[in-house]
Amino acid sequence: MANNGSQPVKVPFNMTIFSLPFTCEYMGASVRSKGLFRTDNPLKYPLPLLMLQLGTVIIISTTFQRLLRPLKQPRFVSDMLTGILLGPSILQLFTDGNFYASLFWGKQTIIIDVLELLSLMYLTFLVGVRTDLGVIKTSGRMAWVVGITAFLLPVALAVPIAHALGKTNVNLATNLDTISILSATTSFQVTSVLLEDLKLLNSEIGRLALSSSLISNLCGVLLKVISATYTRIKHLNSTMSEVLKMELSRIGMILVIVFLFRPIMFRMMKRIPEGSTIRESHLIVMTMLLFGTSFASEFIGLQAYFGAMVLGFAVPAGPPLGSGLADKLNLFVNALLMPSYIIDACRHVNVGLIKAKHLGPVEVIIVLAYAGKLFGSVVPSRFFRMPYKDSIALGLILCSQGFFDVLLFKRALRFSLLNEELYSILTIMAVVHAAIATPLISYLYDPSKRYVNYRRRTVQHLRRDNELRILICVHEEESTFGLLNLLKATFPTRESPLGTYVLDLLKLEGREHPLLINHQFHNRSSSNATRTARIISTFRHYQIHHEGMVKNQYYTTITPYDSMHGDICTLALQKSTSLIIVPFEKSESNPVRGVKRKLLDKAPCSVGILVDKKILTYFRIENESKYHVCVVFTGGPDSREALAYGARMVENRNARLTVIRLIAEDEFVTDLIEAKLDMKAIADLSGVSGYSDRVDFREINVRDGAETSRVLMSLDDNIDFILVGRRVDEESPLVSGLVEWANDFQELGILGDILASSDMKSNASVLVLQQQFTVEDLMPQLKLR
């Protein structure tokens, strides 16, 4: 029983004080239901209702994502549409009010409220973990100029106008000031998520946008701190001494995290073996630190997310600690906290509350803030001679709003700096802006256009007395030996040296910023160091024994698989390479195979995929080691590239070359130009090699794909390398009947798939080559594969 001083009150009971609901119930009866078979309604209790809400959000949001994917819409739009659909704007409008209140109001929302606050804490922590503040040091002048102007211009436009409109709308004066600050500042977290959705993280504009948004965001944080201090003094009647104590406590917390907690994290990292992830004990320690700093923030009068954000910044980015935390927490955040956040954020979005007299002033401030960000990005980027389309795309990226902005809107609503009407306007405008801007960015900026070339960068068209530049991509450390064997067979000489660019491919984990690291001054030679150091040491060993003929440079790219091909293409374009070589493993995951497929489509030079069957051990240094190369020639640019590579190999006096030209019986020549180029390449073979006694040329007539397969299967077992072109005319009798059969690995092509199969008699390593596209090649032609 409860007594309010006049009469007894029975438990349970509900009451409302200052628009805040309070509930009093018996312990154990307020959360779980007794069950339907005990005549109890489960939907009257928070726990079963939470399960229903989370499941409904996940199903509807996934459906929206599927439907909106062709329209290039980000996840933010589909998730927020789901929340609005389940909110008072739609569900309450088309259902009974009591039914909606039983689902989304009162004691049923207690757990959702708690989870929403936890989502704010965890999201800010994870964003901090994935953020590398060191990018500020490496940001160029353009990033600083764009970041600062994209902050100053919207603030200069929105804040004074908000003050002016507040004088004519006295009731909205404080609200308009808050709206101007929230709309004018840029969230680095939102920019990062948007670039990840658009697969532009490691593009040129993506790197610039990340750096600029981080700089602009830091300026915005300073402005928000100043604004919050001003609000506490003027509207919350805080004294200067109270504010000073709070700010000193803030500084003290930062110092403790940086100088006490961060060294603890580094000691934890040293105990994690290379290639391993964090253990449960590490996760427990980090969780204790997270809740401890969040509690300390609340204790000194700050918000819990502040301590979580600073702790996240202090976590060393990347593997093993940063990536391990991201991997273990992402499922928890995405499956539980994000749906809770969507429900709680959108149950306050009510279109019916929006009034025209308030909509006008708010829209003016929002439009001015967006325009300020857009012009603050476009004008300085044009000053640095960025193309118009790219500069507009950059401005739209920096204007974007997302989950983190809505979290800040909700925080302002909780502290009565906004009412539900203004909160609804801000949230809906953020969704509308994202829905319009994201497709525009995809249309304006195509990162692959910069890879289109007007000149040939191929092995075939390279003069023999020029340096052959090859970009070697290493994804698995075990593929190093096969790549070194291929480099040795390439036969570098002092007249025609070999320039090798070794690129170690690492997946981006536990950080926001993709990295391209130059190891040009890397001096380690120890094999017990990191994976990258061992790879460098192995290739340096090869360079030392070919001094004057081989020159290596070493790089590491840390980037998502979806955009990893961008770093490869960029490096190949900058270094003017003629060939990119990527190892192939049958057991590799689909994301890695996707990198190869995008590389074949976008590369600015020829591409070779090496299938190493592990028959070749680590190469011997002596040039007396003999090897046998076979080129399967079917005609076309890819076959000519394979023949040119084989001709270079056979210049080694210890090499033998066998060229097998497959000719389809009764096939009419439809492209005279291609036929002449094929004949010229074959006629030039003897002139290029000059060693007819070591070159065996065979022409074999075949009637269909079955005979082609038999010819390939019968290749000798003493062959070390088989070179073949990737693309073949699918309508040619050479591959009739093989198109559907040899379809397991499309990146290898039809013939490459057969040669790489375990049914082959020969255990030779296979190099599948695709000659570079140029603008001339993009004209209508035969369908190749």
Side-chain angles (χ1 to χ4, degrees):
M1 303 289 289
N3 197 321
N4 61 1
S6 58
Q7 60 182 356
V9 179
K10 293 184 178 180
V11 176
F13 69 89
N14 300 322
M15 65 179 179
T16 302
I17 300 177
F18 294 112
S19 300
L20 296 176
F22 291 86
T23 300
C24 182
E25 296 215 10
Y26 291 111
M27 178 64 68
S30 59
V31 177
R32 294 186 298 118
S33 167
K34 296 177 182 178
L36 187 64
F37 297 106
R38 294 186 179 180
T39 65
D40 199 3
N41 184 2
L43 296 184
K44 290 184 177 180
Y45 297 87
L47 186 58
L49 186 60
L50 174 68
M51 298 176 186
L52 175 63
Q53 292 171 339
L54 296 184
T56 304
V57 168
I58 292 173
I59 292 173
I60 297 178
S61 178
T62 303
T63 303
F64 271 129
Q65 288 181 34
R66 292 273 185 176
L67 295 176
L68 297 177
R69 185 177 300 169
L71 301 179
K72 305 288 186 181
Q73 294 299 319
R75 177 185 172 182
F76 169 69
V77 172
S78 57
D79 285 350
M80 295 305 295
L81 287 179
T82 301
I84 294 173
L85 177 66
L86 297 175
S89 299
I90 297 179
L91 184 62
Q92 185 180 18
L93 185 64
F94 292 98
T95 59
D96 180 58
N98 294 327
F99 172 76
Y100 176 80
S102 66
L103 293 179
F104 296 101
W105 211 257
K107 69 177 182 179
Q108 288 81 355
T109 63
I110 294 175
I111 299 179
I112 286 289
D113 287 336
V114 174
L115 291 177
E116 191 265 342
L117 292 173
L118 282 177
S119 70
L120 175 61
M121 186 176 71
Y122 269 98
L123 283 174
T124 52
F125 172 69
L126 283 178
V127 169
V129 168
R130 298 173 59 184
T131 301
D132 184 8
L133 294 179
V135 72
I136 298 179
K137 298 179 182 178
T138 59
S139 299
R141 186 174 62 171
M142 182 177 179
W144 278 98
V145 173
V146 172
I148 293 175
T149 54
F151 163 74
L152 291 177
L153 190 57
V155 170
L157 291 176
V159 174
I161 296 298
H163 281 296
L165 292 175
K167 294 179 180 179
T168 58
N169 298 270
V170 180
N171 295 331
L172 295 179
T174 303
N175 301 135
L176 293 179
D177 290 340
T178 303
I179 291 172
S180 65
I181 298 296
L182 293 174
S183 300
T185 52
T186 300
S187 295
F188 161 77
Q189 301 88 342
V190 173
T191 302
S192 176
V193 173
L194 176 62
L195 291 173
E196 188 174 359
D197 286 340
L198 294 173
K199 298 179 175 57
L200 295 177
L201 264 178
N202 66 333
S203 64
E204 185 178 0
I205 197 172
R207 295 177 188 277
L208 176 60
L210 279 174
S211 301
S212 301
S213 64
L214 182 56
I215 293 169
S216 181
N217 197 181
L218 290 178
C219 296
V221 169
L222 293 176
L223 176 63
K224 289 175 182 177
V225 170
I226 296 172
S227 176
T229 302
Y230 174 78
T231 301
R232 284 196 294 268
I233 294 175
K234 183 175 181 180
H235 300 286
L236 301 181
N237 299 322
S238 298
T239 63
M240 184 61 68
S241 61
E242 292 175 346
V243 173
L244 184 61
K245 290 179 182 179
M246 184 178 297
E247 296 305 320
L248 290 177
S249 300
R250 187 199 304 263
I251 296 173
M253 175 183 292
I254 295 174
L255 294 177
V256 169
I257 292 174
V258 172
F259 294 104
L260 179 61
F261 293 167
R262 185 171 170 84
I264 293 175
M265 298 176 201
F266 277 108
R267 294 194 64 177
M268 290 169 52
M269 289 177 58
K270 291 180 180 179
R271 299 181 180 180
I272 302 175
E274 183 187 354
S276 301
T277 186
I278 61 174
R279 297 190 296 269
E280 289 186 6
S281 59
H282 300 134
L283 183 61
I284 292 173
V285 171
M286 293 305 303
T287 303
M288 292 173 60
L289 292 178
L290 173 61
F291 280 90
T293 53
S294 300
F295 172 76
S297 296
E298 291 284 342
F299 186 78
I300 63 177
L302 302 173
Q303 298 302 308
Y305 84 92
F306 174 79
M309 179 179 63
V310 177
L311 182 66
F313 285 144
V315 175
L321 188 57
S323 60
L325 288 172
D327 288 340
K328 293 185 180 296
L329 293 177
N330 274 336
L331 178 62
F332 170 67
V333 172
N334 292 329
L336 180 63
L337 296 185
M338 282 303 297
S340 304
Y341 156 77
I342 294 168
I343 294 171
D344 198 63
C346 293
R347 70 188 178 93
H348 296 281
V349 178
N350 192 344
V351 178
L353 297 177
I354 300 176
K355 302 180 180 63
K357 64 178 182 179
H358 295 158
L359 179 63
V362 175
E363 285 295 326
V364 169
I365 296 173
I366 294 175
V367 170
L368 284 175
Y370 284 173
K373 292 180 188 177
L374 184 62
F375 284 101
S377 306
V378 172
V379 173
S381 59
R382 283 296 303 153
F383 176 79
F384 285 94
R385 299 183 179 180
M386 178 181 283
Y388 279 107
K389 286 187 176 181
D390 292 358
S391 60
I392 295 175
L394 175 64
L396 291 174
I397 292 172
L398 295 181
C399 285
S400 59
Q401 290 185 314
F403 291 119
F404 197 79
D405 292 294
V406 178
L407 284 172
L408 296 179
F409 300 162
K410 181 70 188 308
R411 176 172 170 267
L413 174 66
R414 184 177 294 114
F415 288 96
S416 301
L417 297 175
L418 295 175
N419 56 36
E420 286 200 1
E421 177 192 5
L422 302 180
Y423 173 80
S424 301
I425 297 174
L426 284 173
T427 304
I428 292 173
M429 286 303 299
V431 176
V432 171
H433 178 265
I436 296 174
T438 307
L440 282 176
I441 296 168
S442 300
Y443 171 76
L444 291 171
Y445 184 73
D446 182 5
S448 63
K449 288 182 179 179
R450 59 192 172 128
Y451 305 137
V452 178
N453 287 290
Y454 295 88
R455 54 173 294 191
R456 299 281 184 180
R457 289 193 176 98
T458 70
V459 177
Q460 179 190 358
H461 297 90
L462 181 71
R463 290 179 52 181
R464 192 63 185 91
D465 56 349
N466 286 354
E467 179 187 42
L468 174 60
R469 297 184 177 184
I470 299 178
L471 175 58
I472 300 289
C473 299
V474 182
H475 179 256
E476 296 290 342
E477 191 175 350
E478 292 78 10
S479 63
T480 305
F481 294 148
L483 293 167
L484 284 169
N485 283 315
L486 180 62
L487 289 181
K488 179 190 175 182
T490 304
F491 190 58
T493 63
R494 295 189 182 277
E495 293 75 21
S496 180
L498 184 62
T500 306
Y501 302 90
V502 182
L503 181 62
D504 188 14
L505 306 177
L506 297 177
K507 178 186 176 183
L508 180 69
E509 294 180 312
R511 64 185 305 142
E512 294 284 350
H513 293 278
L515 291 178
L516 181 62
I517 305 171
N518 187 346
H519 300 282
Q520 185 174 356
F521 304 105
H522 195 295
N523 294 318
R524 292 185 186 178
S525 58
S526 174
S527 61
N528 59 1
T530 63
R531 156 203 159 110
T532 302
R534 290 193 296 271
I535 293 172
I536 292 174
S537 178
T538 304
F539 279 94
R540 178 173 285 122
H541 182 68
Y542 169 67
Q543 178 184 0
I544 291 173
H545 287 275
H546 292 78
E547 188 174 357
M549 295 180 287
V550 177
K551 183 179 179 181
N552 295 340
Q553 291 187 31
Y554 311 99
Y555 297 86
T556 296
T557 178
I558 307 175
T559 187
Y561 283 135
D562 287 338
S563 54
M564 186 174 285
H565 68 285
D567 272 357
I568 301 174
C569 293
T570 299
L571 186 60
L573 190 64
Q574 291 176 351
K575 303 303 179 181
S576 299
T577 60
S578 298
L579 180 64
I580 299 172
I581 297 179
V582 187
F584 178 86
E585 300 88 18
K586 288 189 177 181
S587 60
E588 63 189 1
S589 60
N590 286 330
V592 181
R593 293 180 62 187
V595 174
K596 295 181 177 60
R597 292 176 182 177
K598 293 177 182 177
L599 190 61
L600 290 167
D601 186 46
K602 307 293 185 182
C605 63
S606 296
V607 178
I609 299 178
L610 177 64
V611 183
D612 183 16
K613 295 190 176 181
K614 308 301 180 184
I615 194 64
L616 293 175
T617 58
Y618 183 54
F619 67 95
R620 297 191 297 271
I621 299 302
E622 296 81 12
N623 284 332
E624 283 72 17
S625 58
K626 297 182 179 181
Y627 53 90
H628 186 187
V629 182
C630 176
V631 175
V632 179
F633 190 90
T634 59
D638 295 353
S639 287
R640 294 195 294 270
E641 189 76 358
L643 188 63
Y645 205 152
R648 182 183 180 97
M649 290 179 171
V650 80
E651 291 191 6
N652 187 342
R653 62 184 180 181
N654 297 301
R656 289 194 305 115
L657 175 64
T658 298
V659 180
I660 299 177
R661 184 186 185 192
L662 300 177
I663 301 176
E665 294 183 357
D666 302 327
E667 182 179 13
F668 293 99
V669 177
T670 57
D671 194 331
L672 293 177
I673 297 178
E674 285 293 315
K676 289 181 180 180
L677 292 174
D678 292 341
M679 294 300 297
K680 184 178 184 301
I682 294 172
D684 292 343
L685 176 62
S686 59
V688 172
S689 64
Y691 301 102
S692 58
D693 57 328
R694 291 186 286 104
V695 176
D696 182 16
F697 183 81
R698 308 174 192 174
E699 289 187 349
I700 301 177
N701 295 322
V702 295
R703 289 177 295 184
D704 53 23
E707 290 194 5
T708 299
S709 180
R710 283 195 292 271
V711 171
L712 298 180
M713 293 290 183
S714 64
L715 291 177
D716 295 338
D717 193 32
N718 62 352
I719 297 175
D720 298 313
F721 289 100
I722 299 177
L723 277 58
V724 64
R726 175 178 175 269
R727 296 167 296 175
V728 181
D729 182 5
E730 293 183 358
E731 298 179 359
S732 171
L734 290 174
V735 293
S736 61
L738 297 179
V739 177
E740 292 79 14
W741 180 77
N743 198 34
D744 293 337
F745 302 101
Q746 297 180 3
E747 56 268 36
L748 296 178
I750 299 173
L751 300 183
D753 196 354
I754 296 174
L755 292 170
S757 68
S758 57
D759 298 331
M760 280 288 297
K761 174 184 175 182
S762 174
N763 286 320
S765 293
V766 180
L767 180 64
V768 180
L769 288 159
Q770 174 180 287
Q771 195 172 79
Q772 167 223 17
F773 289 104
T774 63
V775 173
E776 181 182 352
D777 297 326
L778 298 179
M779 298 171 62
Q781 54 182 330
L782 288 174
K783 183 181 179 182
L784 296 178
R785 177 180 174 176

